[in-house]
Amino acid sequence: MPGRGVPLPDHWSRRWVSSDPKYRWAPEPPGPPFVVTERVAALHAAISADSEPVILVAHSAGCLTVAVWASQHVGPVRAALLVTPPYLDPDWTAEPDETVDVFIGHVPREPLPFRSILVASRNDPHATFAQFEAYARDWGSELFDAGAVGHLDSKTGFGPWPDGQRLVRSLTVPPSHDGSAGT
């Protein structure tokens, strides 16, 4: 699941999709505006297209898409890797004359019905570490502290991101008894 923008060619998500046929976009990154109903519909169509359980990989606003989808649908989802979701204050609303192209509305804060790992950054411009912790707690996600990695995107130097690939692989096996992500 892409975020709000279109990932650059060197972004880890683009690299993963172009180098491994197991990865597919849902949807192909359309860029702004971020219309959550369209993104949720595209995700639902992709999940429903096959009965084989999937592992969702979402970056930024794509994580919000996953949370909204999970609050409205069921489907064959084994797990999700949620990478640096932006924090949206539940009380925030746009001014009447303000034009915004981001998710506006309720971000579901209920546990996801599948295993998930939330990747948190210590210096993300879109969320504090405490806000990542709150999302992880509310969604029932394992928290992975990635350190000071910004928004974990091309601007902060993340091309291949092998740690992310290890996290996805860890989602294919049952969680360890100590609650760690198995990395």
Side-chain angles (χ1 to χ4, degrees):
M1 287 301 308
R4 176 182 162 267
V6 176
L8 297 174
D10 64 338
H11 190 279
W12 58 268
S13 61
R14 284 256 185 232
R15 288 175 179 237
W16 292 7
V17 169
S18 66
S19 67
D20 190 331
K22 292 182 294 199
Y23 290 99
R24 291 188 308 242
W25 290 110
E28 177 71 30
F34 183 89
V35 181
V36 72
T37 54
E38 292 175 5
R39 300 287 182 100
V40 169
L43 177 58
H44 188 63
I47 291 171
S48 300
D50 195 337
S51 62
E52 186 70 27
V54 298
I55 294 176
L56 303 174
V57 177
H59 180 246
S60 192
C63 301
L64 306 181
T65 301
V66 170
V68 172
W69 178 86
S71 74
Q72 299 173 355
H73 302 283
V74 294
V77 175
R78 175 183 286 178
L81 180 66
L82 307 170
V83 182
T84 61
Y87 181 77
L88 295 180
D89 188 310
D91 298 324
W92 180 84
T93 56
E95 296 296 324
D97 61 341
E98 186 177 11
T99 302
V100 293
D101 68 345
V102 296
F103 178 87
I104 298 175
H106 172 69
V107 175
R109 301 298 286 259
E110 297 79 29
L112 299 173
F114 41 79
R115 183 174 172 215
S116 60
I117 298 173
L118 188 144
V119 177
S121 171
R122 292 281 177 174
N123 63 341
D124 191 301
H126 305 292
T128 66
F129 196 79
Q131 290 166 336
F132 287 129
E133 289 176 314
Y135 272 150
R137 182 180 57 254
D138 294 345
W139 291 339
S141 302
E142 300 165 48
L143 183 68
F144 179 82
D145 182 347
V149 294
H151 196 51
L152 227 149
D153 55 13
S154 299
K155 291 178 188 173
T156 50
F158 284 88
W161 194 39
D163 283 343
Q165 291 176 312
R166 281 190 288 279
L167 289 170
V168 171
R169 283 192 303 274
S170 78
L171 289 168
T172 65
V173 296
S176 63
H177 294 295
D178 66 4
S180 69
T183 58

